[in-house]
Amino acid sequence: MSIAAELRAKLRIPVMAGPMFIASTADLVIAQCRAGIIGSMPALNPRTTADLDADITRIAASVGDAPYAINLVAHASNSRLGADLDVVLKHKVPIVVLALAANAGLVRQLQDNGSLVFQDVIKQRHAHKCAELGVDGIIAVGAGAGGHTGDLSPFALMAEIREWWEGLLILSGCIATGRAVQAAEVLGADLAYIGSPFLASTEANTQPGFRQMIVEGAAADIVTTNCFTGVDANFLRPSLIEHGLDPANLKRVKAGGINIDGGGDNAKAWKEIWSAGQGIGAVKRSEPAADYIDRLVEEYAAARAAVGSAH
Ligand SMILES: Cc1cc2nc3c(=O)[nH]c(=O)nc-3n(C[C@H](O)[C@H](O)[C@H](O)COP(=O)(O)O)c2cc1C
């Protein structure tokens, strides 16, 4: 059986949650897995490596053989990488999502230990690099995604990658409804990757004001800028304004390298200046993740039935 078919057999709907810095908690991962999707969180969200160890222990004990994912930032600026990696290896985490500067040795080490390794990409060149690294799954991040975003239309990105990549392919960016999950499949994705809608989940570590912006906001409220990290990311316009920034005049940082740990405005980004993707127009309420996923499942079934009856 292919990896895609094996994973799909364990899910209620072909959806994986995107890990979100600060926002994804162990409780959110557990709720996502129990509701029938792949739950995920960044390794850096628990305050320390010991906390990460405790969180993964709790997740593993709560979700049985449901697949969950931990996101590791494989970048020199991540001082916890070595210690966090040891924890991930110890628990044989089912899926590891690597971000930034992964190398073939790390991919191999994780796979030999029993993990599937996924990596996200925003362009064709990165997808080829991932294939060379030997990853099990490629996450194609299209325009409008929450967090660090791509700038290509998902139609173009998926078509170009699917031309040569037969492995597991996941589409990320603005997917928020069951209909959009089906659309991702139609474009050639095995799984849809959903981030921003879970910012409104009651299990997420998001402040009330952040949740409110997600519930009230829409695509027009999202601003793309590289001014915080040197790499394009999407932020909520009202949050930029609240911090005295003019969304129309954000300084464009010269390309060349990502700065994750920097200070100043960069430190405020994510924690105080809130990120989200263009798909938030579909998010109408803050609710437990399971309620949102139940609705996704219903919408997905309705969308499939509608397409079936149109033929
Ligand atoms: C607030 C926020 C924080 C994020 N942090 C991370 C992260 O730490 N690691 C990562 O791989 N992706 C991160 N992402 C990206 C998500 O995993 C996912 O790719 C994205 O949210 C999908 O697009 P959507 O938000 O339009 O659904 C983040 C996204 C958001 C909105």
Side-chain angles (χ1 to χ4, degrees), residues 41-53:
M41 73 171 192
L44 287 172
N45 280 10
R47 234 172 254 259
T48 63
T49 297
D51 290 342
L52 174 67
D53 195 358

Side-chain angles (χ1 to χ4, degrees), residues 17-24 40-45 71-73 97-99 120 139-149 171-176 193-199 206 210 214 234-235 270 273-280:
M20 295 187 289
F21 186 48
I22 302 173
S24 310
S40 76
M41 73 171 192
L44 287 172
N45 280 10
N71 170 222
L72 276 181
V73 178
V97 177
L98 291 178
D120 49 19
I139 303 161
V141 183
H148 287 122
T149 182
L171 179 59
S172 169
C174 313
I175 300 171
Y193 208 60
I194 299 184
S196 297
F198 289 110
L199 294 168
T206 38
F210 192 176
I214 297 296
N234 279 322
F235 292 91
W270 315 111
I273 302 174
W274 298 318
S275 169
Q278 292 175 1
I280 56 169

Side-chain angles (χ1 to χ4, degrees), residues 3-232:
I3 292 171
E6 261 178 55
L7 285 176
R8 182 67 183 90
K10 293 182 177 167
L11 305 175
R12 268 171 87 206
I13 182 170
V15 169
M16 171 163 179
M20 295 187 289
F21 186 48
I22 302 173
S24 310
T25 60
D27 285 337
L28 181 62
V29 178
I30 292 167
Q32 289 165 335
C33 290
R34 284 189 172 155
I37 71 166
I38 300 173
S40 76
M41 73 171 192
L44 287 172
N45 280 10
R47 234 172 254 259
T48 63
T49 297
D51 290 342
L52 174 67
D53 195 358
D55 275 359
I56 298 181
T57 303
R58 194 156 66 83
I59 293 168
S62 308
V63 305
D65 71 347
Y68 67 92
I70 297 293
N71 170 222
L72 276 181
V73 178
H75 188 263
S77 65
N78 177 9
S79 55
R80 270 176 52 181
L81 178 60
D84 287 356
L85 175 62
D86 286 344
V87 168
V88 163
L89 290 169
K90 182 179 92 173
H91 288 280
K92 297 188 187 299
V93 166
I95 301 168
V96 178
V97 177
L98 291 178
L100 305 170
N103 60 69
L106 177 59
V107 173
R108 195 58 201 270
Q109 186 183 12
L110 287 161
Q111 289 171 331
D112 287 349
N113 191 59
S115 297
L116 294 172
V117 178
F118 299 171
Q119 171 129 19
D120 49 19
V121 306
I122 59 168
K123 52 181 75 156
Q124 186 67 213
R125 185 163 53 82
H126 297 164
H128 281 290
K129 176 91 194 299
C130 280
E132 279 163 29
L133 289 174
V135 301
D136 301 289
I138 294 177
I139 303 161
V141 183
H148 287 122
T149 182
D151 61 357
L152 294 178
S153 155
F155 286 92
L157 192 58
M158 292 297 289
E160 289 187 9
I161 297 175
R162 257 305 174 230
E163 235 174 56
W164 57 272
W165 171 254
E166 290 174 359
L168 183 79
L169 185 56
I170 303 170
L171 179 59
S172 169
C174 313
I175 300 171
T177 62
R179 188 186 286 225
V181 172
Q182 195 201 6
E185 286 190 300
V186 172
L187 288 182
D190 298 297
L191 298 173
Y193 208 60
I194 299 184
S196 297
F198 289 110
L199 294 168
S201 296
T202 48
E203 298 89 347
N205 179 25
T206 38
Q207 295 168 45
F210 192 176
R211 275 185 208 180
Q212 197 180 339
M213 280 185 203
I214 297 296
V215 169
E216 291 174 359
D221 297 308
I222 304 302
V223 176
T224 306
T225 176
N226 79 350
C227 78
F228 301 115
T229 61
V231 175
D232 276 345

